[in-house]
Amino acid sequence: QSVLTQPPSVSGAPGQRVTISCTGSSSNIGAGYDVYWYQQLPGIAPKLLIYDNSNRPSGVPDRFSGSKSGTSASLAITGLQAEDEADYYCQSYDSSLSGWVFGGGTKLTVL
Amino acid sequence: QITLKESGPPLVKPTQTLTLTCTFSGFSLSTSGVGVGWIRQPPGKALEWLALIYWDDDKRYSPSLKSRLTITKDTSKDQVVLTMTNMDPVDTATYYCAHVYSNSHFDYWGQGTLVTVSS
């Protein structure tokens, strides 16, 4: 059971927009800790996609965007492409656990 | 350019101790603010943070695994070592090391190393 809750799967057709939610609590996201998103392509190490809730590292397309509100955060992907098919993980810090926590991951399928 | 690479045995027996080494380049663990963490991922499952060490030798451990983990650094070799005692088949996973940015997230990851626990 992950500390941060994500939907197990989402799907969308090429060109569409999908969102992935990440729900936490008052000891992590709700406490003001930033949220980070990682993309993991099959068989490859995770790659940082979004940092500090809504910022993209250099090289990440602007089709990817992040937001945070209250105890939750969201990752939005617009203009879906086949290459976006991957697992996506959110991450934050939890003060009650005194450690870094990940969501359970969401598998994105491009139909 | 920051790179990290994990190394260790691909197979360990139950009850044995696992020792993993993370060899990195492109940064120094003697620089203020720098950290290296370990994260694992059982086959088909989610990421799980294990441990983290900072430039000043401050160490943090996952509460659920704290009694079994030890993280150390060798600044002269640009290496971080993680040991996990009393290995069990449920510890079968790909183990990643990663550079920690600003005490908040993991911005560069190693390729990972798969460790299988089986007799």
Side-chain angles (χ1 to χ4, degrees):
Chain A
Q1 195 81 357
S2 300
V3 173
L4 304 179
T5 301
Q6 298 179 234
S9 63
V10 297
S11 62
Q16 285 190 332
R17 177 182 187 269
V18 296
T19 62
I20 299 172
S21 61
C22 174
T23 302
S25 66
S26 58
S27 61
N28 42 67
I29 299 175
Y33 293 105
D34 289 328
V35 177
Y36 305 86
W37 291 91
Y38 302 86
Q39 177 192 58
Q40 187 176 32
L41 297 170
I44 297 178
K47 165 193 164 186
L48 180 65
L49 198 63
I50 297 288
Y51 67 95
D52 294 351
N53 306 314
S54 59
N55 296 292
R56 289 183 307 276
S58 174
V60 173
D62 59 6
R63 301 186 296 103
F64 295 89
S65 63
S67 63
K68 172 190 162 184
S69 179
T71 59
S72 297
S74 289
L75 172 70
I77 310 172
T78 59
L80 265 182
Q81 299 180 4
E83 66 206 49
D84 299 333
E85 193 160 283
D87 293 325
Y88 293 84
Y89 292 91
C90 60
Q91 175 248 307
S92 187
Y93 182 84
D94 191 285
S95 57
S96 64
L97 297 174
S98 296
W100 290 260
V101 290
F102 288 92
T106 297
K107 181 175 182 58
L108 169 63
T109 300
V110 181
L111 302 171
Chain B
Q1 179 189 2
I2 291 177
T3 64
L4 306 98
K5 187 173 184 179
E6 308 84 354
S7 59
L11 179 67
V12 297
K13 290 180 167 50
T15 75
Q16 286 187 335
T17 293
L18 170 68
T19 299
L20 295 172
T21 301
C22 175
T23 303
F24 56 84
S25 64
F27 67 95
S28 172
L29 245 185
S30 58
T31 301
S32 177
V34 175
V36 171
W38 284 93
I39 302 102
R40 72 177 178 180
Q41 184 175 36
K45 296 188 177 181
L47 300 166
E48 177 185 21
W49 169 71
L50 301 177
L52 196 151
I53 189 166
Y54 291 102
W55 86 102
D56 60 356
D57 212 37
D58 184 18
K59 302 167 186 177
R60 307 294 176 89
Y61 296 101
S62 167
S64 62
L65 293 167
K66 185 174 183 177
S67 63
R68 299 173 54 205
L69 296 173
T70 303
I71 190 170
T72 60
K73 63 180 175 69
D74 186 331
T75 306
S76 66
K77 293 182 179 179
D78 286 340
Q79 291 181 333
V80 170
V81 175
L82 180 75
T83 61
M84 180 180 290
T85 61
N86 194 25
M87 293 292 285
D88 183 273
V90 300
D91 296 313
T92 293
T94 296
Y95 288 75
Y96 298 98
C97 64
H99 175 269
V100 177
Y101 182 86
S102 190
N103 193 32
S104 62
H105 64 283
F106 310 97
D107 56 348
Y108 294 91
W109 295 61
Q111 64 188 26
T113 185
L114 175 62
V115 178
T116 300
V117 184
S118 175
S119 55

